[in-house]
Amino acid sequence: MNTEITNAVNAAGDKAQYDARVKRILAQKNILAHILVKTVDEFKGMKPEDVVTYIEGEPKVGIVPVEPGLSNIEKTDATGQRIVGLNTENAEINEGLVRFDIIFYVRMKNGLSQIIVNVEAQKDEPTEYKILNRAIFYVSRLVSSQKERDFVNTNYDDIKQVFSIWICMNMDYNSLSHIHLAKDEMLSPYDWKGNMDLLNIVLVGITNDIPEHDENYEMHRLIGALLSTELREQEKLDIIEHEYNIPISNELREDVRIMCNLSTGIEEKATEKTSEKFILNMYKKGYTLDQIADIAETSVAAVEAVIKKKEPAMA
């Protein structure tokens, strides 16, 4: 395998590991509680540490397929009793499928009803598709996948309220949008029976500049600090622990440490790749080695090394 392909494979591996750590960190119940307090009306005004107790079981991270027909698993127990639940098995068989980043159930304060919450992390707003369109698909799957799992036959009144929360980094400004169903009366108003609040999409835009610790931006500061490529490991942990009173477990500390290391490696590889491309483009356009070295702020020897390494491919 040539060096370029090897580097590409290594970079892809680092990126996959980084993404996995981001999901693991966001899936910490103490972090999810802060997100719920700012995005779900039921929990607004509550202390995040109190909301933690309403999160049921362990959030499923990157293991539940989005695709129709694959989100649920059905089996029977030893007594022949039918069991249904989120499909978290045979991940290797279904390799390559799109999966929810994080998905979990939350018990409401009445102790009876539940909601289903999905959290998706994006490094920025996608350009290959409109993010709202994808969010609509996800929130629709969160509803349709409940059939035969959370409700059976035509018991549509048993459908659980769903939230799909999308966190987009590297945005121009901090934002928070709630998108949900609305009813427009086109003739005489009529009170149609049903739950208008079943579908909820929340889009969270977060900038690279971490905001001050202000009530309106508490969630943005927490997530911004956690996922920042500028802050060092200990700076992140200090903000999490001292500003948000989140206990630092060994698992969380390790995830933050690995994520920071991976982030540094990815950034260095990206810088190196950009630098090589810049030098080669200058060389192809006829600039001298001295001119390239001066503009790229590097040595002539370094420029020569890049060109020699790529000369066979340029021939």
Side-chain angles (χ1 to χ4, degrees), residues 263-281:
S263 175
T264 300
I266 291 168
E267 188 175 350
E268 287 174 351
K269 287 174 184 175
T271 302
E272 180 182 350
K273 184 176 179 182
T274 302
S275 201
E276 287 186 357
K277 184 177 180 181
F278 175 76
I279 288 171
L280 292 172
N281 282 340

Side-chain angles (χ1 to χ4, degrees), residues 3 24 32 54 63-64 71 76 98 123 155-156 169 197 242 244 258 272 276:
T3 304
R24 280 168 56 96
L32 292 175
Y54 291 96
I63 54 177
V64 178
S71 298
T76 56
V98 176
K123 70 180 187 303
N155 297 328
Y156 296 111
M169 303 297 294
D197 62 353
H242 300 307
Y244 293 89
I258 292 174
E272 180 182 350
E276 287 186 357

Side-chain angles (χ1 to χ4, degrees), residues 3 12 19 64 79 90 117 217 227 280 299:
T3 304
D19 290 346
V64 178
T79 66
N90 299 325
V117 180
Y217 296 102
L227 306 187
L280 292 172
S299 66

Side-chain angles (χ1 to χ4, degrees), residues 180-183 192 194-200:
H180 49 95
L181 295 176
K183 184 176 77 162
W192 298 100
N195 301 333
M196 287 285 290
D197 62 353
L198 285 180
L199 301 178
N200 297 274

Side-chain angles (χ1 to χ4, degrees), residues 176-203:
L176 180 61
S177 304
H178 178 205
I179 297 161
H180 49 95
L181 295 176
K183 184 176 77 162
D184 294 327
E185 301 291 1
M186 301 174 70
L187 288 173
S188 298
Y190 185 81
D191 184 21
W192 298 100
K193 302 300 184 291
N195 301 333
M196 287 285 290
D197 62 353
L198 285 180
L199 301 178
N200 297 274
I201 295 170
V202 180
L203 300 175

Side-chain angles (χ1 to χ4, degrees), residues 19-60:
D19 290 346
R21 293 291 167 174
V22 167
K23 294 172 192 175
R24 280 168 56 96
I25 289 172
L26 289 176
Q28 296 278 331
K29 286 189 177 182
N30 286 292
I31 306 299
L32 292 175
H34 278 274
I35 294 174
L36 291 175
V37 164
K38 292 297 183 182
T39 57
V40 178
D41 284 342
E42 174 84 359
F43 303 111
K44 286 183 178 177
M46 288 183 62
K47 294 179 179 179
E49 54 266 33
D50 293 334
V51 175
V52 169
T53 61
Y54 291 96
I55 299 174
E56 298 195 324
E58 290 302 316
K60 305 294 188 292

Side-chain angles (χ1 to χ4, degrees), residues 98-138:
V98 176
R99 301 176 187 278
F100 292 107
D101 280 0
I102 304 165
I103 186 169
F104 57 101
Y105 284 81
V106 183
R107 180 71 59 180
M108 303 299 267
K109 288 186 293 186
N110 61 19
L112 300 174
S113 56
Q114 293 172 310
I115 61 174
I116 302 173
V117 180
N118 156 234
V119 177
E120 297 291 322
Q122 303 285 300
K123 70 180 187 303
D124 49 32
E125 185 175 5
T127 56
E128 62 271 28
Y129 57 82
K130 295 179 176 65
I131 192 169
L132 182 55
N133 293 348
R134 183 177 175 187
I136 290 170
F137 177 74
Y138 274 48

